[in-house]
Amino acid sequence: MVVAFDKCETRPASIDAILEGLDRYNPETTTVFQDYVAQQCEDRTFDCYANLALLKLYQFNPHLIHPETVTNVLVKALTVFPSPAFSLCLALLPPHTQPFPANAEAQASSQISDFVESVQKLARLSTLLESAQYAQFWSTLNSDDLYADLVADVAGFEELVRIRIAVEVGKAFRQISAEVLEQWLDLRSREALEKFVVEVCSWEIEKNGPNGTVIKVPTNKENEVRSEVKSERVDIDMFGRVLRRGFEQAA
């Protein structure tokens, strides 16, 4: 079942009341939404609709922008890829924060802002996840202390991302080399990998096979091999129209 975009099972009633009324456009509610973002970071929950409402308030009231809250929203959005949450949040930020500034003035301003640098670094991580460059994602994340600072407030960030990567791997593979999966999940030991695969994913491990240790993914509707027969129906009337147009003279 597809959950409605504006619904969140863990959303407090007080936040729901704001979103359903005119107070969602009241600048004074920014502090309430900011506290709610902090709660999401602690509880490992994510409420995209409420977070977008906060970013919209920032858009209307730029002087109220709280950079740490914005980056926390973006980091939380990374944990639910491949949903469009990150792109939606990024689109509500000021033009000069975007990964590709539209003009020289925006580019110049972006070079002196720590906030803009943070946003663009997170956009880089999003691009790597969306393009399934998982090993490069972890390498980039571990390459700069700023990344560690950006994700520090989000409890269980690495674990949440690993679970999302595993979900995507499970859609595309029936089996995968343990060595490759170690890199994709950034699990530095075979013991850690096997524990994650068995306890979190409920996948099977085949050791000492012809290709070394292989992770077996159960069949599901995404990775199941199915034959597909396509047919096209072409009748004489379709050819007739083409022939008539060939004899028609241009007006």
Side-chain angles (χ1 to χ4, degrees):
M1 182 180 66
V2 178
V3 179
F5 178 73
D6 59 342
K7 301 299 180 182
C8 178
E9 294 181 357
T10 58
R11 181 186 300 156
S14 57
I15 298 295
D16 216 21
I18 293 175
L19 292 173
E20 292 180 358
L22 294 178
D23 273 343
R24 67 175 298 165
Y25 304 106
N26 184 349
E28 295 180 0
T29 61
T30 54
T31 55
V32 178
F33 281 124
Q34 286 169 182
D35 291 341
Y36 184 40
V37 171
Q39 180 183 333
Q40 294 173 56
C41 291
E42 295 176 1
D43 299 344
R44 303 192 183 191
T45 57
F46 181 69
D47 190 336
C48 188
Y49 193 61
N51 294 346
L52 290 174
L54 172 60
L55 296 182
K56 177 60 73 173
L57 281 171
Y58 287 154
Q59 193 177 55
F60 291 151
N61 307 275
H63 63 287
L64 296 177
I65 288 181
H66 189 254
E68 184 177 354
T69 299
V70 173
T71 54
N72 282 344
V73 167
L74 293 177
V75 173
K76 287 296 297 181
L78 289 175
T79 66
V80 295
F81 91 97
S83 81
F86 189 94
S87 296
L88 291 172
C89 293
L90 188 65
L92 290 178
L93 300 186
H96 70 274
T97 67
Q98 301 302 310
F100 304 102
N103 52 53
E105 182 180 354
Q107 188 172 10
S109 65
S110 70
Q111 293 175 350
I112 59 175
S113 170
D114 292 339
F115 172 55
V116 172
E117 181 185 5
S118 298
V119 171
Q120 296 186 2
K121 281 183 174 293
L122 293 175
R124 170 62 175 164
L125 292 182
S126 177
T127 298
L128 293 173
L129 287 175
E130 293 292 344
S131 57
Q133 299 182 65
Y134 302 134
Q136 184 65 28
F137 165 82
W138 293 111
S139 175
T140 302
L141 180 65
N142 297 325
S143 67
D144 192 333
D145 289 340
L146 178 57
Y147 283 115
D149 293 338
L150 289 173
V151 304
D153 291 340
V154 179
F157 172 78
E158 294 185 354
E159 180 183 353
L160 292 170
V161 172
R162 285 193 183 100
I163 291 173
R164 295 307 309 168
I165 292 175
V167 170
E168 295 306 300
V169 169
K171 293 177 181 179
F173 293 86
R174 292 288 299 277
Q175 65 178 36
I176 184 172
S177 164
E179 183 178 356
V180 171
L181 196 58
E182 279 182 359
Q183 297 176 7
W184 286 2
L185 298 177
D186 194 41
L187 293 171
R188 307 304 179 88
S189 69
R190 188 57 53 86
E191 180 182 356
L193 174 67
E194 293 180 358
K195 181 178 181 180
F196 181 87
V197 164
V198 173
E199 296 183 4
V200 178
C201 305
S202 298
W203 295 347
E204 298 179 0
I205 302 173
E206 182 182 281
K207 295 184 177 181
N208 303 320
N211 299 318
T213 302
V214 174
I215 308 302
K216 299 281 190 177
V217 181
T219 302
N220 57 63
K221 65 179 182 178
E222 299 290 344
N223 68 10
E224 183 180 7
V225 178
R226 296 186 298 271
S227 60
E228 184 176 358
V229 178
K230 293 184 177 179
S231 61
E232 296 183 2
R233 181 177 177 274
V234 181
D235 55 36
I236 191 64
D237 290 338
M238 297 178 66
F239 286 108
R241 289 195 296 270
V242 174
L243 292 173
R244 285 195 299 274
R245 288 173 184 169
F247 287 102
E248 291 177 354
Q249 296 183 353

